[in-house]
């Protein structure tokens, strides 16, 4: 008997020293014990509430939920602890954890309720929810503005392209001397104009494609495509440009087909842009290596150049629209800075990923990962 009293005394001392509030309620839901922390948290005095219903210490709107928790634990319907977050004294918030207490022969003795203040956590959670709500509203506004910008770019690009095609056509006729002979100076001036108009046409096409990818989310027609054929065609397309800069183009393709589900013209555009980028930012006499491989799930394309490289600070921004790195070697490099943005959008369209590694003065490597099309 003495040993039992000592154990009870030790247990009471432990409860009394706890920061958490501890309340024990008997099988009739009456309070039979509360430690000092529970008295402080619940703003009660044990001698005043002893034998009273536990519901007297909670707001009326919580009574039904508390009774259900107690009944579920008492009946054995729920075995694990049950938690309930409520607002109590002076607007503070607490977590109440309810646990059933069972005696010998599985006799139900009551419920022990452990209470811990969580006001700071609750406040932080509420602030986070509010911040996330504001962020979502801001993102929605950004998406709306982005769509308006894409619509504007698309409309302006269309308006520019129609008269430009006409001008290119007429200059082409003049260069072919369809309307009469040209002097050497006239031909030289017209050829410069013609080349610049073609460059302008390429920029307008890129703007149109970028706008289309931003606006059109569905309705694309995907078909089985051999990625080797796509890469080979793009390499043949840019080969004359590479030769002008005395840049060696090395192609490493597997003998077997590398099939993906894709949009052929978009994939051609993707590799054209990456290869032209590798030429544009390479050195005279440099090298571009193109590799293609596959595993059981994915196709991997890698384009590595020996160019001027990209600074580590700029790596995170290279896929942003209109981004142009400030570099002493780039003073003569022209463009709108949308080529890599277009590449990334096309990769996303094909459910793929693109990775970039670069080191200044040594070169850049782009690695593409695209889901394979497995024949059934």
């Amino acid at each position: 008997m003495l040993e039992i009293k000592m154990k009870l005394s030790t247990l009471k001392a432990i409860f009394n020293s706890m920061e958490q509030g501890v309340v024990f309620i008997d099988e009739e839901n009456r309070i039979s014990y509360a430690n000092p922390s529970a008295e402080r948290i619940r703003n009660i005095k044990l001698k005043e509430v002893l034998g009273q219903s536990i519901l007297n210490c909670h707001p009326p709107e919580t009574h039904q939920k508390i009774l259900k928790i107690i009944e579920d634990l008492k009946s054995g319907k729920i075995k694990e602890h049950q938690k309930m977050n409520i607002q109590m004294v002076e607007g503070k918030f607490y977590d109440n954890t309810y646990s059933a207490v069972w005696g010998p022969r599985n006799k139900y003795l009551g419920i022990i309720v452990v209470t811990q203040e969580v006001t700071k956590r609750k406040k932080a959670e509420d602030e986070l929810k509010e911040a996330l709500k504001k962020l979502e509203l801001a993102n929605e506004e950004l998406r709306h503005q982005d769509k308006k910008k894409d619509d504007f770019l698309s409309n302006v690009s269309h308006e520019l392209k129609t008269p430009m095609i006409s001008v290119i056509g007429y200059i082409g006729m003049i260069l072919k001397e369809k309307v009469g002979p040209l002097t050497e100076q006239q031909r030289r001036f017209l050829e410069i104009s013609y080349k610049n108009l073609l460059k302008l046409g390429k920029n307008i096409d890129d703007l149109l494609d970028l706008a289309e990818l931003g606006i059109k989310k569905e309705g694309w027609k995907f078909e089985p495509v051999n990625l080797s054929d796509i890469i080979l065609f793009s390499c043949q397309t840019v080969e004359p440009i590479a030769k002008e800069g005395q840049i060696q183009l090395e192609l490493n393709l597997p003998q077997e087909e590398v099939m993906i589900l894709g949009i052929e013209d978009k994939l051609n555009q993707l590799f054209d842009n990456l290869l032209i980028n590798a030429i544009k930012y390479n050195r005279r006499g440099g090298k571009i290596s193109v590799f293609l491989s596959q595993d059981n799930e994915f196709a991997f394309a890698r384009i590595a150049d020996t160019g001027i490289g990209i600074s580590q600070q700029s790596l995170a921004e290279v896929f942003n629209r209109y981004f142009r790195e400030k570099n002493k070697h780039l003073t003569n490099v022209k463009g709108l800075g949308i080529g890599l943005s277009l590449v990334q959008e096309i990769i996303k369209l094909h459910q793929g990923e693109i990775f970039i590694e670069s080191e200044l003065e040594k070169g850049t490597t782009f690695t593409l990962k695209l889901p394979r099309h497995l024949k059934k």
Side-chain angles (χ1 to χ4, degrees):
M1 191 69 179
L2 181 61
E3 186 180 350
I4 293 173
K5 284 185 178 180
M6 287 180 66
K7 286 183 178 179
L8 288 173
S9 178
T10 302
L11 191 60
K12 186 176 180 181
I14 292 171
F15 283 155
N16 287 346
S17 65
M18 287 176 64
E19 184 181 347
Q20 295 89 351
V22 178
V23 173
F24 183 76
I25 56 178
D26 62 20
E27 61 271 23
E28 300 297 329
N29 300 339
R30 295 171 302 197
I31 298 172
S32 61
Y33 170 78
N35 72 349
S37 291
E39 291 183 290
R40 172 179 54 80
I41 290 170
R42 296 173 179 273
N43 196 23
I44 59 172
K45 295 293 181 184
L46 178 59
K47 60 183 179 182
E48 295 174 1
V49 298
L50 200 63
Q52 291 187 18
S53 170
I54 186 66
L55 299 179
N56 293 347
C57 301
H58 293 81
E61 62 271 15
T62 64
H63 290 182
Q64 190 173 355
K65 187 173 181 180
I66 291 170
L67 288 173
K68 186 176 187 315
I69 289 173
I70 292 172
E71 184 56 37
D72 286 345
L73 289 168
K74 183 178 180 179
S75 65
K77 183 179 178 181
I78 295 177
K79 303 291 185 184
E80 63 270 14
H81 306 310
Q82 291 294 295
K83 274 194 175 184
M84 180 178 172
N85 180 271
I86 60 172
Q87 186 173 357
M88 294 175 68
V89 184
E90 297 175 352
K92 293 182 179 180
F93 287 87
Y94 299 88
D95 268 347
N96 285 346
T97 303
Y98 297 79
S99 305
V101 180
W102 302 91
R105 297 180 182 177
N106 211 26
K107 177 178 170 54
Y108 173 74
L109 300 179
I111 299 282
I112 189 166
V113 186
V114 179
T115 304
Q116 184 168 8
E117 185 181 348
V118 291
T119 305
K120 288 183 180 178
R121 189 189 76 192
K122 182 73 167 58
K123 186 178 179 182
E125 287 174 353
D126 290 344
E127 287 175 352
L128 180 60
K129 285 178 184 176
E130 185 62 27
L132 288 172
K133 185 179 177 181
K134 289 180 180 178
L135 182 62
E136 180 54 36
L137 289 172
N139 283 336
E140 185 60 37
E141 178 61 23
L142 282 173
R143 285 191 288 268
H144 176 66
Q145 294 299 329
D146 205 39
K147 186 179 183 304
K148 284 174 67 176
K149 182 182 68 178
D150 285 337
D151 289 341
F152 174 76
L153 281 175
S154 180
N155 291 334
V156 169
S157 299
H158 276 295
E159 291 297 322
L160 286 172
K161 189 165 185 178
T162 303
M164 191 199 65
I165 289 172
S166 177
V167 173
I168 288 174
Y170 280 117
I171 291 179
M173 289 173 62
I174 295 170
L175 283 170
K176 291 176 182 177
E177 298 188 340
K178 298 282 186 180
V179 291
L182 296 171
T183 66
E184 192 61 36
Q185 188 182 49
Q186 287 172 336
R187 177 172 293 280
R188 185 161 56 86
F189 288 167
L190 283 169
E191 283 176 348
I192 292 170
S193 299
Y194 190 73
K195 284 182 180 179
N196 282 319
L197 279 169
L198 290 177
K199 286 181 183 177
L200 178 60
K202 173 69 168 60
N203 287 337
I204 290 173
D205 285 339
D206 282 350
L207 283 170
L208 281 169
D209 288 327
L210 200 56
E212 182 187 28
L213 287 164
I215 296 167
K216 185 178 176 182
K217 301 299 181 186
E218 297 177 352
W220 298 101
K221 187 178 180 182
F222 291 84
E223 295 178 325
V225 177
N226 184 2
L227 211 51
S228 292
D229 293 341
I230 296 289
I231 292 174
L232 179 61
F233 183 77
S234 286
C235 285
Q236 290 170 342
T237 300
V238 303
E239 190 174 12
I241 308 171
K243 283 182 177 178
E244 282 182 19
Q246 297 179 4
I247 295 169
Q248 180 187 350
L249 195 56
E250 181 184 73
L251 187 57
N252 300 276
L253 300 176
Q255 291 184 348
E256 69 275 8
E257 291 183 333
V258 180
M259 302 300 294
I260 69 166
L261 275 180
I263 305 165
E264 189 170 333
D265 64 325
K266 295 298 177 192
L267 290 168
N268 278 133
Q269 192 174 22
L270 182 154
F271 284 101
D272 285 354
N273 273 330
L274 283 176
L275 288 166
I276 289 170
N277 210 64
I279 294 168
K280 190 188 294 185
Y281 297 104
N282 216 320
R283 295 183 176 84
R284 194 166 188 82
K287 182 179 178 181
I288 298 170
S289 301
V290 183
F291 302 88
L292 179 64
S293 61
Q294 61 185 336
D295 62 16
N296 292 334
E297 295 182 71
F298 299 99
F300 300 91
R302 185 158 57 91
I303 298 173
D305 66 56
T306 57
I308 59 175
I310 303 167
S311 67
Q312 293 301 307
Q313 301 95 304
S314 298
L315 280 178
E317 299 183 70
V318 292
F319 295 111
N320 293 346
R321 293 187 187 186
Y322 318 116
F323 173 75
R324 296 292 304 278
E325 184 173 23
K326 294 177 181 178
N327 187 305
K328 63 182 180 181
H329 299 293
L330 303 180
T331 52
N332 296 321
V333 177
K334 307 298 181 185
L336 297 178
I338 61 174
L340 290 180
S341 297
L342 196 54
V343 164
Q344 188 179 52
E345 291 298 326
I346 295 171
I347 284 287
K348 286 179 182 177
L349 183 65
H350 288 79
Q351 306 297 311
E353 295 178 84
I354 184 167
F355 310 94
I356 180 172
E357 299 172 81
S358 190
E359 191 174 344
L360 282 174
E361 309 302 330
K362 289 192 176 181
T364 301
T365 299
F366 286 93
T367 302
L368 282 62
K369 178 182 176 183
L370 293 160
R372 283 185 60 196
H373 173 58
L374 302 174
K375 295 178 181 178
K376 295 181 180 179

